[in-house]
Amino acid sequence: MNNKIKFAMVAFVAIISIAGCQKEINYNDPNGNNCKLSNLVLSLPGLGDFGLSFTYDASGKLIKAVSNDDTMNYAYFTNKITATDQDGKVREILLSNGRAVSSSAPDYIQINGMSYDIKRNYTFNAEGYLATVKNYVNSELNSTDVITYTNGNLTKSEVTFALGGDKETTVYEYSNALAVNTYEMADPMSTHVDYFPGKYYGIQSKNVLIKSTTTYSNPTNAAISSVMVTDHKYQFDAKGNATSISLDTKTYDDQSGKLVLIDEYLITNKLTYDCK
């Protein structure tokens, strides 16, 4: 597999693993409008519907996520947060002054009997925005992700893979609406970090994400090899919470200099909230 594991694939596996509670849900500021995400139904193409429910402590921190027979329990410490699944496997985020410096997930992906440990190191700019993510697979540098913010939103990501130098460039577009209790799959940061509950990855995007376009290119000839476009559509309640999120993704392949549609799939989410 090129570059050991393309982090685009890691992101897709992460989407699938939400159904098994192997990836945490982030709801931005849980008390931002006195509402907390309580349940959601995730519909995946070819896999059906999956229900998840969430439990919080008195301070509003997520302490448990449950889907079918799978459970993720969260524990909070001064310099780290851990997430332990029903099999005892532990993922964690390390903190410095309340902000993420790294995250790790042992045996996060298994392919053909091979286990891959995933680790990310994070750096921030002077304004408090996430600036660089270094991605490691089994302790070897896999890729470097340089992130750009414009007018309070994450607008561009440039991922360069260590082996071969392939590039993955994503441009994000937003509406003028302010984001409230942003669910992970509607937050552009979700594919760049290992999400844990709370604001541990710097300042988050202020507006509602409506489109992302990812271009894959080869440095040897600067040619575009493929393009992936995802359109986000929403329904909101009176408090601004997204009660429905759909992601329509189209993938185009470069065939003799022309981009041709080769795949399309739709992921939908139905969300409910507990509001004070």
Side-chain angles (χ1 to χ4, degrees), residues 26 29-30 59 68 95 99 107 110-111 122 125 135 162 175-176 197 200-201 204 208 226 262:
N26 180 283
D29 182 355
S59 68
N68 299 329
L95 307 173
R99 193 163 61 184
D107 299 331
Q110 295 188 1
I111 301 174
Y122 308 101
N125 64 21
N135 301 292
S175 72
N176 292 324
Y200 300 106
Y201 297 99
Q204 292 178 291
V208 175
S226 63
I262 60 171

Side-chain angles (χ1 to χ4, degrees), residues 161-225:
F161 291 90
L163 181 60
D166 287 0
K167 285 189 177 275
E168 179 183 299
T169 302
T170 303
V171 175
Y172 299 96
E173 300 174 38
Y174 299 82
S175 72
N176 292 324
L178 294 178
V180 177
N181 283 342
T182 305
Y183 170 55
E184 178 177 356
M185 294 178 77
D187 188 337
M189 195 179 288
S190 63
T191 58
H192 304 284
V193 303
D194 290 319
Y195 257 54
F196 274 71
K199 297 180 177 179
Y200 300 106
Y201 297 99
I203 302 172
Q204 292 178 291
S205 297
K206 68 178 183 179
N207 294 117
V208 175
L209 176 67
I210 57 174
K211 185 176 182 179
S212 61
T213 302
T214 301
T215 302
Y216 305 90
S217 59
N218 186 307
T220 59
N221 55 17
I224 295 174
S225 57

Side-chain angles (χ1 to χ4, degrees), residues 23 29 89 116 194 238 250 271 275:
K23 188 169 170 55
D29 182 355
K89 186 178 293 185
Y116 295 88
D194 290 319
K250 297 181 177 69
L271 306 93
C275 297

Side-chain angles (χ1 to χ4, degrees), residues 248-266:
D248 184 8
T249 299
K250 297 181 177 69
T251 302
Y252 302 86
D253 192 25
D254 182 11
Q255 298 181 7
S256 301
K258 181 179 179 180
L259 291 177
V260 178
L261 179 66
I262 60 171
D263 189 27
E264 181 176 5
Y265 60 90
L266 179 69

Side-chain angles (χ1 to χ4, degrees), residues 16 18-20 40-44 47-52 67-68:
I16 299 301
I18 293 173
L40 69 87
V41 176
L42 174 66
S43 299
L44 296 169
L47 295 175
D49 295 345
F50 299 87
L52 295 93
S67 174
N68 299 329

